[in-house]
Amino acid sequence: MGKDMGDKLSRWYRTTIRVRYQESDQMGVVYHANYLNWFEIGRTEMIRELGITYRSMEEQGVLLPVTDLDMKFSQPARYDDEITIFTRMTSFSKLRIKYAYEVRRLSAEERGGWDAMACAEGLELPGELLVSGSTSHVWVSREWQPVRLDKSAPELYAALERALAGGGVS
């Protein structure tokens, strides 16, 4: 395999969900801890779009715990909003991976006019920014020992490397 990709940005991947009642308080505002769950949904769906599932990663003995989390709140999401979770890799190596997220409220026109490649080239994402953030992770075995992804799960490593190098699935 090639050398680590470092701090190259992948394209944005997106997942849309509707805010459920249990995710909000009596005022209809989303409780802040739910954004962390949404970040995980974004990561999981991004990996799925690359042709790999978290289940298959775990079956290969590779786990991906969070080692660092950062969130910035701009506007609240509210009960019944349709929100879009944008996710991309910002750093990737044989030992670690880092993701960036933006949770946004898009209009119907913005949802229909999504252009992933335009957003990969540095243009601003559509919609109203609600929350931005990042998570850092380390690749570990079931015994919680650090592992080199290129040795433990070479297909996953290659898929992530291609996503960073070419902006998507090859």
Side-chain angles (χ1 to χ4, degrees):
M1 302 279 147
K3 54 188 202 175
D4 291 343
M5 298 302 290
D7 291 331
K8 185 175 180 188
L9 300 175
S10 76
R11 74 168 178 88
W12 287 104
Y13 294 78
R14 78 172 183 169
T15 302
T16 300
I17 63 172
R18 186 166 301 277
V19 176
R20 295 170 295 260
Y21 183 77
Q22 71 269 19
E23 294 170 321
S24 61
D25 61 20
Q26 195 169 14
M27 297 177 292
V29 172
V30 169
Y31 177 65
H32 67 278
N34 287 299
Y35 292 98
L36 182 56
N37 290 329
W38 295 348
F39 287 3
E40 183 173 358
I41 290 168
R43 277 193 313 275
T44 301
E45 294 306 316
M46 178 188 156
I47 294 293
R48 186 181 315 279
E49 194 170 325
L50 295 175
I52 297 167
T53 65
Y54 265 77
R55 178 177 294 188
S56 70
M57 287 171 38
E58 292 172 355
E59 287 170 352
Q60 295 176 63
V62 179
L63 306 175
L64 193 58
V66 175
T67 58
D68 189 48
L69 164 68
D70 180 56
M71 292 206 281
K72 181 177 182 196
F73 298 89
S74 299
Q75 293 291 323
R78 298 184 183 278
Y79 168 64
D80 209 35
D81 280 352
E82 190 170 350
I83 55 122
T84 301
I85 307 157
F86 290 92
T87 306
R88 72 175 170 186
M89 290 182 289
T90 59
S91 181
F92 171 66
S93 76
K94 296 170 180 115
L95 299 172
R96 301 180 189 282
I97 190 166
K98 186 171 184 178
Y99 294 93
Y101 312 89
E102 290 195 11
V103 177
R104 292 178 166 266
R105 187 173 20 243
L106 278 62
S107 68
E109 298 81 34
E110 290 167 326
R111 282 191 302 275
W114 162 252
D115 182 353
M117 296 321 292
C119 291
E121 297 169 3
L123 298 177
E124 188 170 327
L125 292 171
E128 177 186 15
L129 177 63
L130 306 177
V131 173
S132 59
S134 65
T135 56
S136 298
H137 307 259
V138 63
W139 302 105
V140 299
S141 67
R142 286 191 180 102
E143 294 76 33
W144 285 84
Q145 296 300 310
V147 297
R148 281 183 48 156
L149 188 64
D150 61 327
K151 303 289 184 197
S152 300
E155 290 178 12
L156 173 61
Y157 181 79
L160 292 170
E161 190 174 48
R162 281 191 307 272
L164 267 177
V169 181
S170 63

